[in-house]
């Protein structure tokens, strides 16, 4: 199909910041885009050709929207999967596939998928209700510490909690969840795999993530990861195996633990552009957003290696500030070498809310990492 | 002023492709943008916050638009300058300044400006009417060959012609024009200078341009230029002197000839992002578009050096094809290393019409140049 000068339409479910960055990359190729999103205030609204208001979890909204497009993709996983399944049967190209989303949307199913496909992951138990965890502890079927995860609708540290004692369970949602082994790890790593329907596959370099100890949000993403070639090769192989197991089309971001014994365990995946790939905009030959578009349109994939070293810092709302956002010292960081802020345009800040990210690129990765720390120390997302 | 979380508004005169690439860069900083443009079909329409229809040469249209914004910039020079002058007096920050645009808009005035400011440029004569050129030739006041240039409204090879005999003047516009010495040159070079109101100044590396012999349009832009350090230093110095002479704010693209005697002569300037800087999107630490925004908002300027070597190829309509555009072999070029097409989204092609550009980046500039030639040979902009 000729995407570049025809009546082709690309549909995107979700109108958030990831969708916006994706849309800017469709512009290079002059692709006609249509977005479905529940909020009229969504960032994508001014970046797409057509904007449709609708609930992403509503069957009719997703089905009626999807019928109007040729290729349908997502920028958020929580969408109505039954509608996607019908659309696939009716000939719409849906990437990621409904089957993949069904495996991923529910964390218990995701873990079972890894087990079934012999993809290394930490041990876990599945519970229909939170109360069953308490029973399991009482019966000796589960021991502290473990990681509680809500099976559905968790993101950015919501829906995940390390449980060290019974009282840590207080206040958690009552529904379906899993209890995972708490893995003592050296590093959190991620690999983004791109695959197009023709089967061409490329992996981005392994990145290393540093998490904020309290908020459980990524603080720095470092690309390439400062690990041995051996570990990098192992991580890439696991990521490729995972993408292949899903028979995935588009980007698959595979988050992994490097354990104390240098085992690689898959933590979770995201079937779309991902926070661990934002530095690709400035650091890589092909940004993850352009690559996702190339992949789902069955175009040749672009180079995935780095032009220069890249470090990404998430900009999150400072503790103690809620209200109209102010980016304190943003001009200070813009004076630093190779620093590009990406402000998402949310009007209100609150503690740990993701408000943007900053990329730092440099020929020397260690220098980029040093500047990233200065960035982190200087800029503060506060309120008026 | 806090641009990032206030009611600040950036106005852009013109809604074309340059404006669109500029607008995508405002998004990183979440800047509220407003565009004035005569065509409802303009590329900028879906990339700005506010879109106003109006004639850029109409005093009232420009004035009324400008009154609503804090900083006003352009993506095309042909705008009503009287309105800009009034807006400046009333406190709107206009970059480039009305005075600069007045000097640049008219090529005769632009040449006089260089002469007055001791900026090296080729010799020229100024004529109120084309017929005066004929008189000058008859009187022996002007000799063949020379370069005829319309004083106003020329762009992309329109309004410029090498005149070798009297009949070459046939069919040219009758109005004000100049006749320039035809300079035998080794290279056409360009330097983009960025300057903010605080006086911070940065220059991009010198680029080298190869022109299509017939269409007088740039075929390749090569960054950095394959010239000696001595010539590069000389070209940068001339470009800086030119920016300083205009007391310019924003980007100033300075196009120059390197003569057979290694003199540097200014050909012309553009006070905005420019075709000779498109490769900065992929090759430089800071794209020219981001840099223009940083400059006019008085933010710190970003790094201007290259991450990797960059070559830019203009995509122009092939001869013999007029009608609905088709990009033949676009997938072939997307398979090549480090190749990014930028399709401008014009629906109709015609011979030599600028339809897009392709950037080729590589660690090795010679390899980028080699791939650029393959790109040029492979892709063809034709009609259905």
């Amino acid at each position: 199909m000729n995407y570049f000068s025809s009546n082709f339409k690309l549909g995107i479910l979700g109108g958030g910041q990831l969708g916006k960055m994706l849309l800017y990359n469709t512009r290079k190729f002059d692709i006609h885009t249509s977005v479905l999103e529940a909020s009229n205030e969504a960032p994508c609204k001014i970046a797409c050709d057509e904007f449709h208001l609708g609930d992403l979890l509503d069957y009719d909204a997703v089905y009626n929207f999807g019928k109007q497009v040729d290729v349908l993709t997502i920028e958020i996983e929580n969408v109505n999967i039954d509608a996607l399944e019908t659309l696939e049967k009716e000939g719409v190209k849906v990437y990621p596939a409904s089957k993949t989303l069904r495996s991923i949307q529910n964390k218990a199913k995701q873990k079972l998928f890894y087990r079934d496909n012999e993809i290394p992951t930490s041990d876990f138990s599945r519970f229909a209700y939170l109360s069953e965890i308490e029973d399991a502890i009482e019966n000796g079927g589960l021991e502290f510490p473990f990681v509680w995860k809500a099976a559905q609708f968790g993101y950015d540290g919501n829906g995940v909690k390390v449980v060290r004692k019974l009282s840590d369970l207080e206040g958690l949602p009552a529904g379906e969840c899993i209890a995972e082994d708490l893995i003592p790890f050296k590093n959190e790593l991620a690999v983004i795999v791109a695959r197009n329907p023709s089967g061409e596959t490329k992996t981005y370099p392994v990145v290393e993530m540093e998490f904020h100890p309290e908020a459980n949000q990524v603080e720095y993403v470092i690309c390439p990861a400062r690990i041995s070639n051996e570990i990098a090769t192992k991580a890439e192989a696991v990521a490729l195996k995972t993408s292949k197991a899903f028979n995935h089309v588009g980007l698959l971001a595979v988050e992994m633990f490097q354990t104390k014994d240098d085992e690689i365990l898959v933590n979770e995946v995201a079937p779309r552009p991902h926070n661990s790939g934002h530095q690709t905009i400035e650091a890589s030959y092909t940004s993850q957003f352009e690559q996702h578009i190339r992949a789902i349109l069955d175009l040749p994939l672009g180079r995935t290696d780095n032009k220069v070293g890249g470090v990404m810092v998430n900009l999150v709302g400072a503790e103690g500030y809620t209200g109209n956002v102010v980016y304190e010292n943003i001009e200070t960081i813009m004076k630093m070498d190779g620093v590009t802020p990406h402000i998402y345009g949310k009007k209100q800040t609150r503690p740990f809310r993701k408000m943007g990210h900053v990329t730092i690129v440099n020929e020397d990765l260690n220098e980029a990492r040093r500047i990233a720390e200065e960035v982190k120390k200087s800029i503060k997302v506060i309120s008026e």
Side-chain angles (χ1 to χ4, degrees), chain A:
Chain A
M1 179 176 282
N2 189 346
Y3 305 110
F4 300 98
S5 52
S6 69
N7 295 319
F8 172 81
K9 261 192 208 179
L10 172 65
I12 301 174
L13 296 175
Q17 183 61 28
L18 286 174
K20 196 172 82 172
M21 293 192 273
L22 198 61
L23 283 164
Y24 291 152
N25 280 276
T26 64
R27 291 300 157 217
K28 286 187 220 172
F29 304 149
D30 188 39
I31 287 163
H32 189 95
T33 53
S34 191
V35 166
L36 181 71
E37 160 64 41
S39 161
N40 214 5
E41 304 290 307
C44 282
K45 196 174 177 189
I46 67 158
C48 58
D49 292 280
E50 291 176 35
F51 185 79
H52 298 260
L53 267 181
D55 182 349
L56 298 176
L57 290 167
D58 181 72
Y59 180 93
D60 290 333
V62 172
Y63 175 76
N64 292 328
F65 173 79
K67 280 304 281 178
Q68 302 167 45
V69 303
D70 300 283
V71 173
L72 186 59
T73 191
I74 58 157
E75 63 107 45
I76 186 168
E77 286 92 322
N78 292 327
V79 299
N80 188 293
I81 297 179
D82 292 336
L84 296 185
E85 214 174 313
T86 311
L87 289 165
E88 281 167 345
K89 282 179 193 146
E90 295 180 4
V92 178
K93 289 169 184 164
V94 180
Y95 306 123
S98 61
K99 202 179 153 199
T100 303
L101 278 173
R102 225 182 267 289
S103 300
I104 289 173
Q105 225 182 44
N106 182 299
K107 281 190 184 161
K109 283 191 189 155
Q110 196 180 140
K111 291 289 277 190
L112 289 171
F113 180 86
Y114 301 143
R115 191 179 278 172
D116 292 347
N117 287 276
E118 294 179 350
I119 291 163
T121 193
S122 61
D123 283 335
F124 69 101
S125 310
R126 189 179 179 181
F127 300 95
Y129 302 98
L130 186 70
S131 59
E132 291 183 2
I133 287 196
E134 289 162 18
D135 297 344
I137 294 165
E138 265 179 43
N139 304 338
L142 185 64
E143 282 178 15
F144 298 115
F146 60 86
V147 182
W148 166 89
K149 287 185 178 175
Q152 305 246 37
F153 306 122
Y155 69 98
D156 283 351
N158 294 312
V160 178
K161 192 175 184 184
V162 175
V163 178
R164 299 182 189 278
K165 52 187 190 303
L166 209 58
S167 62
D168 288 341
L169 293 172
E170 278 166 27
L172 292 180
E176 191 190 356
C177 55
I178 58 173
E180 269 185 16
D181 284 4
L182 181 65
I183 303 294
F185 57 83
K186 281 184 193 168
N187 279 309
E188 288 213 39
L189 306 174
V191 172
I192 293 177
V193 181
R195 192 171 164 276
N196 69 19
S198 298
E200 190 188 0
T201 305
K202 289 198 178 176
T203 55
Y204 279 89
V206 184
V207 301
E208 181 190 337
M209 296 183 285
E210 284 182 41
F211 276 67
H212 186 284
E214 288 160 50
N216 197 30
Q217 284 182 322
V218 178
E219 260 198 322
Y220 300 105
V221 173
I222 299 164
C223 181
R226 296 160 301 178
I227 54 174
S228 69
N229 285 341
E230 201 192 330
I231 295 296
T233 305
K234 210 166 167 178
E236 278 164 23
V238 168
L240 273 173
K241 186 176 182 180
T242 309
S243 166
K244 205 175 166 185
F246 282 114
N247 203 15
H248 189 65
V249 168
L251 296 188
L252 189 76
V254 184
E255 295 186 69
M256 293 167 279
F257 298 117
Q258 176 190 358
T259 68
K260 297 235 154 117
D261 306 327
D262 285 340
E263 260 193 297
I264 296 289
L265 301 178
V266 172
N267 180 22
E268 58 185 43
V269 298
R272 52 163 171 79
H274 187 248
N275 194 258
S276 68
H278 285 345
Q279 76 291 339
T280 60
I281 299 172
E282 285 87 5
S284 301
Y285 273 91
T286 311
S287 83
Q288 64 166 343
F289 301 101
E290 178 177 335
Q291 196 77 294
H292 187 65
I293 294 158
R294 286 180 178 238
I296 62 177
L297 300 190
D298 207 11
L299 291 166
L301 301 179
R303 277 179 72 170
T304 50
D305 50 334
N306 273 22
K307 293 170 188 165
V308 286
V311 176
M312 194 277 291
V313 177
N314 278 318
L315 276 187
V316 299
E319 284 186 273
Y321 296 91
T322 300
N324 292 334
V325 65
V326 174
Y327 300 92
E328 199 177 70
N329 296 329
I330 190 162
E331 301 196 12
T332 310
I333 69 162
M334 288 179 77
K335 268 185 207 149
M336 299 174 187
D337 260 6
V339 169
T340 305
H342 293 256
I343 304 297
Y344 296 167
K346 298 171 185 173
K347 299 300 168 208
Q348 303 287 313
T349 184
R350 56 175 185 263
F352 302 115
R353 187 176 193 199
K354 214 181 271 179
M355 302 298 286
H357 74 266
V358 181
T359 311
I360 301 96
V361 283
N362 202 286
E363 311 82 273
D364 175 356
L365 183 65
N366 293 322
E367 179 65 6
R369 179 64 184 75
R370 193 191 62 72
I371 295 171
E373 220 168 289
E374 276 189 59
V375 165
K376 191 89 196 166
K377 276 186 213 152
S378 305
I379 195 166
K380 213 172 163 188
V381 182
I382 58 173
S383 52
E384 282 176 348

